[in-house]
Amino acid sequence: MAEEKQREQANEDRKAVFKIPNTALLAIAFLVVCVTPVAFGDVPYLQWLYLFPIALAVFVIRTRTTATAKGLEVRTMFGRKDLPWTSLKGLAITDKAKVQAVLKDETKVALPAVRTRHLPVISLVSAGRMADPSGLTDDVTEAPEKRGDSGE
């Protein structure tokens, strides 16, 4: 009984965050260095060029997809959307290996920073609600009594 509660608690605590790597901020810092001589050069009022690196930094820091036991949280630069597992029909893969969530009303929601290689992780976090097409998590999600081993 205690082991079941512990497993349920572990499933609820599972969380996977898919985001743009923070090393992208290094490229943005390089862009700031490159823009500085132009912004403070001979032509006045070019300081507005700093808006581009600032917008890129906000995009990198803010954009992410978080998978939890309750569902998916999709954060974009200007908004946030919660998608509970019960509202999802499945996941769709685009031509460029990007993943979209398909809702029960057939609308598609892009999942930022999620690629096909992340599907096994989403399957584990969702506790099997989203199937793993690669089959990598079949042994993990199966119950021990179904596998036939005694756990020893």
Side-chain angles (χ1 to χ4, degrees), residues 46-124:
L46 284 181
Q47 289 83 17
W48 62 268
L49 290 173
Y50 282 117
L51 292 177
F52 293 113
I54 291 170
L56 284 172
V58 169
F59 177 78
V60 167
I61 292 168
R62 185 139 169 80
T63 302
R64 69 183 60 203
T65 300
T66 305
T68 63
K70 295 177 183 176
L72 296 171
E73 175 193 341
V74 178
R75 262 187 14 187
T76 59
M77 192 163 167
F78 298 113
R80 176 179 171 221
K81 192 169 202 175
D82 288 323
L83 306 171
W85 296 119
T86 55
S87 71
L88 295 179
K89 183 177 181 182
L91 299 174
I93 301 170
T94 65
D95 294 336
K96 296 184 179 183
K98 294 182 179 182
V99 179
Q100 297 175 333
V102 180
L103 302 177
K104 291 194 176 182
D105 63 351
E106 297 297 326
T107 58
K108 293 183 179 180
V109 177
L111 301 178
V114 177
R115 301 293 178 261
T116 54
R117 66 179 179 266
H118 299 132
L119 292 178
V121 176
I122 291 176
S123 176
L124 285 174

